[in-house]
Amino acid sequence: MVEQTQAGTTGDSDYDAVGGGPAIASVVELFYRNVLADPELSGYFANSDLTKLKRHQVQLVSQVMGGPVTYEGQALADAHKGRGITGGDFGRVVVHLVGALEAHQVPDDIIGRVVKALGATQGDIVTAS
Ligand code: HEM
């Protein structure tokens, strides 16, 4: 079996470049470990089903990286409404996400694209000042 290596075919997405599902699952594990260890953020997740949350976050990150995965969670505005999340909270979450990607040696250009895509959700998530 010869591997397909031609550019422009499957195998050149950011999802594939970082190592696919297992790598993204590992990034998401570290991301939530650090979010839950952050005293400014942990309280928001006190009543959350972390298994479901992580599964949906893996799907979302995989999807924005061009992977063959579809996000099956709630609309982000619905998932975050009524939680009083501030712009400062949002910034801290993004810092933890970038930290988890960097810890997995994800290249800066890919991190930039992930932050751009997920950063664009701020208006759906931040409801307090
Ligand atoms: C880049 C920014 C963010 C993204 C991409 C994001 C993404 C997500 C996703 C995909 C879910 C799962 C929804 C579901 O299971 O249906 C979720 C849930 C949740 N998010 Fe975020 N989120 C972000 C920022 C934040 C911030 C800043 C906070 C608060 C500090 C927060 C608090 C929560 C909580 C508490 C839940 C759990 C909801 C539940 O228990 O069902 N998120 N988020």
Side-chain angles (χ1 to χ4, degrees):
M1 176 82 174
V2 178
E3 292 293 329
Q4 174 60 266
T5 55
Q6 193 184 352
T9 60
T10 55
D12 65 355
S13 64
D14 287 344
Y15 175 88
D16 288 319
V18 303
I24 293 172
S26 183
V27 166
V28 168
E29 269 305 316
L30 179 60
F31 167 56
Y32 281 115
R33 194 182 316 151
N34 292 339
V35 166
L36 295 173
D38 183 335
E40 301 274 331
L41 299 175
S42 58
Y44 286 101
F45 298 88
N47 299 314
S48 294
D49 175 346
L50 293 175
T51 304
K52 186 185 76 169
L53 174 58
K54 288 175 189 171
R55 185 174 70 244
H56 286 156
Q57 193 68 264
V58 169
Q59 290 172 349
L60 184 63
V61 173
S62 298
Q63 185 176 299
V64 303
M65 284 188 166
V69 177
T70 303
Y71 174 63
E72 295 173 327
Q74 284 184 276
L76 291 182
D78 291 335
H80 297 89
K81 77 172 173 230
R83 296 184 187 276
I85 296 170
T86 67
D89 296 329
F90 189 88
R92 290 179 89 88
V93 163
V94 171
V95 166
H96 291 309
L97 180 62
V98 169
L101 290 161
E102 287 176 345
H104 285 77
Q105 282 80 46
V106 173
D108 286 347
D109 58 334
I110 295 180
I111 294 179
R113 286 192 285 276
V114 172
V115 167
K116 191 174 175 202
L118 296 182
T121 68
Q122 178 158 1
D124 286 337
I125 290 173
V126 172
T127 54
S129 53

